Amino acid sequence: MERRGFIKKLGLGSTVLSLSGGLSMGALAKNQKAATFNMDFAPHFGMFRNSAPGGIEDELRFMADQGFRSLEDNGLLGRSVADQEMIGKLLSELNMRMGVFVIDGGDNWKVSLATGKQEFLDTFLATCRKSVEVAKRVNAKWMTVVPGYFERNLPLGIQTANVVEALKRGSEILEPHGLTMVLEPLSDNPDLFLRHADQTFMICKAVDSPACKILYDVYHMQRNEGNLIATMEKTWDEIAYIQIGDNPGRKEPGTGEIHYGNVFKYIHEKGFDGILGMEHGNAFPGKEGEEALIEAYRKVDIS
């Protein structure tokens, strides 16, 4: 999720080539079709603002032209109905899928669901109901949920029970529509209640609904616990959505320490046919940086 800034350089061999013109600038030319990615990587708006400066419609068409098959838009819930309808119509026209948007009624970044207080539950459930209508406009299936911060005055077990109860209620709203909230353990700060894959796995098992699964963000999990493939294996049957970002820096694959070639190989061999959200920044600015980003994904795409 786009909550903080990012910085780090790309692996030098390919980057120097990219920025010196070794990559074809035509690869980013609007209206020029590129090969479709085998893995379903999903960019977000703003990632290609220099190559497609005409707004979100222009950028979405550009994504499709570059071979991307899905879109993420964390802030979709806050867009106008007209924009939501336009995005949904264009996704259908381009034969693209909608990835996650965030269920956020204003309580995600403070103490909320862990308290068990009715006011926070009411806001969460109202936002779930609103999210159902938004999901219909864009044909979305997955929505990110963040339970907020720890309530330090309550034992951890009580907090967990409060969160589970809230998610059960949310699942009752989403499940009849075939929608799935995906719980995202995060690394942004130590006050966040949901931080680890095993904790999220336990909560999903307790909620016991197809409408409540795990969003495994590789960047956050590398920061919080590492041992990525082994951890994914242990929690795999609750993982419904995956997000990408290298560490440190939270940029595209190849800019940090994570061996995304091996990670994607594992995901591919598991038969994952879901979306892999590109929830990170660009390592370099401008059109050249956008071209380098696309080339980085070409390198790690699994056939």
Side-chain angles (χ1 to χ4, degrees):
M1 304 176 69
E2 296 175 66
R3 291 170 286 273
R4 303 291 186 266
F6 316 107
I7 188 169
K8 188 74 172 160
K9 62 184 177 181
L10 203 63
L12 288 181
S14 62
T15 301
V16 172
L17 187 62
S18 300
L19 299 181
S20 64
L23 295 175
S24 169
M25 292 305 291
L28 288 185
K30 286 187 288 184
N31 302 321
Q32 179 176 340
K33 301 287 186 180
T36 301
F37 283 96
N38 294 308
M39 301 192 78
D40 198 351
F41 301 124
H44 54 79
F45 291 126
M47 187 164 267
F48 303 116
R49 63 170 64 90
N50 296 287
S51 301
I56 61 175
E57 181 175 355
D58 189 25
E59 198 168 357
L60 187 51
R61 291 187 184 278
F62 176 83
M63 293 173 189
D65 287 343
Q66 301 312 308
F68 294 107
R69 298 187 281 128
S70 291
L71 166 77
E72 278 194 342
D73 187 16
N74 285 339
L76 181 70
L77 197 65
R79 295 191 186 276
S80 68
V81 171
D83 277 350
Q84 292 168 359
E85 291 176 344
M86 180 275 291
I87 291 168
K89 181 179 179 182
L90 188 53
L91 285 170
S92 178
E93 175 189 324
L94 297 171
N95 196 29
M96 295 176 70
R97 290 199 285 182
M98 183 69 213
V100 290
F101 64 90
V102 181
I103 293 179
D104 187 1
D107 296 335
N108 287 9
W109 296 92
K110 63 183 182 183
V111 180
S112 54
L113 294 184
T115 67
K117 292 181 179 178
Q118 190 67 40
E119 61 192 272
F120 296 119
L121 178 61
D122 288 346
T123 297
F124 173 63
L125 298 180
T127 311
C128 286
R129 294 186 189 98
K130 179 180 178 182
S131 296
V132 169
E133 299 309 309
V134 174
K136 290 177 182 177
R137 295 182 190 120
V138 297
N139 196 29
K141 177 177 174 56
W142 304 277
M143 289 137 286
T144 305
V145 165
V146 177
Y149 287 5
F150 283 106
E151 171 50 86
R152 302 292 182 178
N153 294 321
L154 291 176
L156 182 58
I158 302 300
Q159 295 181 68
T160 302
N162 290 338
V163 170
V164 167
E165 181 60 25
L167 297 176
K168 283 183 176 179
R169 297 284 302 280
S171 295
E172 291 171 358
I173 294 169
L174 300 177
E175 187 174 340
H177 301 279
L179 303 176
T180 302
M181 68 175 80
V182 283
L183 312 183
E184 184 177 16
L186 298 169
S187 65
D188 297 87
N189 67 65
D191 289 322
L192 286 154
F193 174 80
L194 201 62
R195 290 181 53 81
H196 295 282
D198 66 322
Q199 175 197 18
T200 315
F201 181 86
M202 174 186 67
I203 289 171
C204 287
K205 290 298 186 186
V207 174
D208 191 25
S209 168
C212 183
K213 295 295 179 181
I214 296 173
L215 189 169
Y216 191 95
D217 187 312
V218 180
Y219 163 78
H220 286 299
M221 293 301 89
Q222 174 69 1
R223 296 184 74 200
N224 278 354
E225 57 195 28
N227 204 23
L228 297 170
I229 291 174
T231 302
M232 280 191 282
E233 181 66 25
K234 291 182 179 72
T235 59
W236 185 260
D237 66 341
E238 295 295 333
I239 294 174
Y241 200 96
I242 295 169
Q243 286 181 327
I244 304 158
D246 215 336
N247 181 63
R250 204 174 185 186
K251 299 293 193 286
E252 61 263 30
T255 61
E257 66 188 358
I258 300 173
H259 194 315
Y260 267 104
N262 284 343
V263 171
F264 289 155
K265 181 175 181 291
Y266 167 80
I267 292 169
H268 177 71
E269 289 176 349
K270 293 294 288 186
F272 184 75
D273 61 357
I275 292 173
L276 297 103
M278 298 160 58
E279 201 187 38
H280 57 75
N282 298 12
F284 289 94
K287 289 185 179 181
E288 293 85 357
E290 292 167 7
E291 181 174 354
L293 182 148
I294 293 172
E295 181 64 15
Y297 275 94
R298 293 288 177 200
K299 288 186 174 182
V300 293
D301 194 21
I302 301 294
S303 59

